[in-house]
Amino acid sequence: LDNNTELGLRSSDENFNFYDLSIKGIWDITEKDKLTYSYLGINNTLEFTELFVADNGSSSNQSSLKQSSNVNGVQWRRHWSPKLSTKLNWHASNYVLEESNRDVNTETTLAQENDLSESEFKLETTYRFTKNFLTTAGYSYTDTNVANKIDSVATSDNSLRRTAYFLNSRWKLNNENTILSAGVRLTSYPNFNTNILEPRLSIFQKLTNRWSLTLSGEQKNQGVLQFTDVENPFLGVENKRWILANNENLPIIESQQIALGATYKSSSWAVHTNFYYKKVDHISAATQGFRNQLINATAIGNYEAKGAEISIHKKSKSAN
């Protein structure tokens, strides 16, 4: 802020604080039953105070930005037999973004809120036919709600439900030098009467004691989107908010990805390289935060990404 003006003296003060809290508990109820509970809480608060002092008086205004996330999860696992096991999962998450922006010159206040709540129930069963072959099948139900408010008035309040059936099998071949994993997932969106089929494939091949290759391909979808609010920025900072797909100007995002990786391991070195190609369809211009002639466009497009990653690990000998 410019603190030397003809009208008076300006000053500002910023205060930022945060905390993270995580809890996890594991109970072996019986030899066959295990119960797990986990919690994660994240809270961030930014306060920005502006002070204006003039000959005829002074004024002080405080703006704030608060972000909080809370996740609760419970899992029950049951081994019915050496071949059959079941996992039952439930989790609930909540993300809240609260903003209060008060202008020291006009004394006007703009308060905004973005609230995302989601709960999921998932059941999966694994059956091991042989030592080297097993299959996992399951079902999940997810309910997501997103609410946006301006000055305590709801501007949107939408919910999105989706169900999914999935099946995945894994084979160990050639004395476990080859591992093949193949599966398929069927996701349904009752809100839009839409079904999406997603195949997935992964192949691991051990070439020597030190070299191995991995090839994978998958298709995914996403109905929860994020956009940049360029019309109501907080203190000049880009604001990203969660919204839900409506299958019109905000369609469900679908992506396809293929990756090829190579790994080298020795007693002291580990090197992994990964090459990937990804294509994402049904990207809405409304979610991209354009500040040019496309700021109000309703165009739908796609993007492609190609890349390579490499990681190197070195184990050093401990000195005695």
Side-chain angles (χ1 to χ4, degrees), residues 129-286:
F129 292 89
T130 66
K131 176 184 177 182
N132 297 320
F133 176 61
L134 62 83
T135 296
T136 299
Y139 163 84
S140 69
Y141 173 82
T142 308
D143 190 353
T144 307
N145 182 272
V146 175
N148 286 287
K149 298 179 181 179
I150 296 180
D151 293 333
S152 301
V153 178
T155 59
S156 64
D157 189 349
N158 302 307
S159 63
L160 182 65
R161 299 183 306 277
R162 53 193 181 277
T163 60
Y165 300 89
F166 53 91
L167 179 68
N168 190 81
S169 297
R170 188 177 67 177
W171 296 265
K172 293 181 180 180
L173 309 170
N174 190 24
N175 294 324
E176 299 188 4
N177 290 322
T178 303
I179 300 177
L180 175 64
S181 178
V184 65
R185 182 184 181 95
L186 177 64
T187 303
S188 300
Y189 289 86
N191 304 58
F192 314 131
N193 195 25
T194 299
N195 299 315
I196 301 176
L197 189 65
E198 302 169 314
R200 299 173 184 181
L201 176 66
S202 176
I203 303 174
F204 169 83
Q205 180 61 55
K206 186 177 181 180
L207 303 177
T208 67
N209 289 333
R210 296 187 176 184
W211 286 96
S212 63
L213 293 176
T214 303
L215 176 65
S216 62
E218 62 181 351
Q219 179 174 330
K220 291 185 176 182
N221 71 85
Q222 181 176 322
V224 183
L225 317 175
Q226 197 175 46
F227 81 106
T228 301
D229 191 349
V230 297
E231 297 182 353
N232 299 306
F234 175 80
L235 301 176
V237 180
E238 284 190 352
N239 281 335
K240 292 187 178 296
R241 307 180 190 282
W242 294 103
I243 53 176
L244 296 178
N246 56 22
N247 220 28
E248 295 176 358
N249 64 316
L250 296 171
I252 299 171
I253 296 177
E254 298 184 45
S255 67
Q256 303 85 37
Q257 178 172 321
I258 186 170
L260 175 63
T263 301
Y264 170 82
K265 288 184 178 181
S266 67
S267 59
S268 58
W269 286 93
V271 181
H272 178 73
T273 59
N274 187 57
F275 302 90
Y276 64 88
Y277 168 78
K278 184 177 183 178
K279 183 181 179 182
V280 182
D281 297 311
H282 306 156
I283 298 295
S284 174

Side-chain angles (χ1 to χ4, degrees), residues 100-117:
S100 177
N101 191 358
R102 189 172 184 183
D103 194 296
V104 71
N105 297 314
T106 63
E107 297 291 331
T108 59
T109 301
L110 176 63
Q112 303 177 91
E113 182 177 334
N114 181 224
D115 191 330
L116 183 146
S117 300

Side-chain angles (χ1 to χ4, degrees), residues 12-32:
S12 63
D13 179 67
E14 303 87 16
N15 180 39
F16 174 70
N17 61 78
F18 66 93
Y19 70 83
D20 302 340
L21 175 64
S22 61
I23 301 172
K24 187 173 184 178
I26 301 176
W27 294 269
D28 290 324
I29 303 175
T30 67
E31 293 183 353
K32 296 184 177 182

